[in-house]
Amino acid sequence: MKKRIPRKGYRTLAIVWTLAAASMAVAFVRRLAEFNLLLLLLAVLSTFTAANFWKTYRRTPELIVPDPFDTPPKFADDPILFDDDPNQNSEEKDHER
């Protein structure tokens, strides 16, 4: 089973890859006099990866935390708490005697 990455995780990855792309671009520009194809490829791939993570971050829905007070609590998934017989309520039992 694949673990889902939360929206904050995609934002973190996007920021890290953006910084990596910027670093590779600076390294390429600093050595522009001697053309280095490897640095250019790394800068381009880092830019595409960062753009992909930003797109995924924008498409990922936020995790909505449900409000615990919206629904009443369930006691062991049993709606009848104190009656022995679910077909009769306790008032009917008292009148039978």
Side-chain angles (χ1 to χ4, degrees):
M1 188 170 151
K2 186 176 179 182
K3 183 178 177 184
R4 296 184 57 135
I5 300 174
R7 189 165 192 215
K8 288 172 72 175
Y10 282 119
R11 187 184 74 202
T12 303
L13 287 169
I15 291 171
V16 167
W17 277 103
T18 302
L19 292 174
S23 173
M24 297 313 297
V26 167
F28 177 74
V29 169
R30 289 180 82 192
R31 297 180 188 257
L32 198 56
E34 56 216 40
F35 182 76
N36 192 345
L37 184 61
L38 181 63
L39 284 177
L40 178 63
L41 288 175
L42 285 174
V44 169
L45 288 175
S46 295
T47 304
F48 284 144
T49 305
N52 187 23
F53 277 123
W54 281 115
K55 285 180 188 176
T56 307
Y57 166 70
R58 289 186 187 109
R59 276 191 254 143
T60 304
E62 280 193 46
L63 180 64
I64 299 171
V65 179
D67 188 14
F69 299 108
D70 283 344
T71 58
K74 295 181 181 177
F75 299 100
D77 295 332
D78 189 14
I80 301 168
L81 296 177
F82 302 109
D83 288 340
D84 294 334
D85 186 13
N87 296 328
Q88 279 185 329
N89 63 17
S90 57
E91 293 175 3
E92 291 176 358
K93 289 179 188 175
D94 290 340
H95 295 296
E96 287 181 357
R97 293 183 190 173

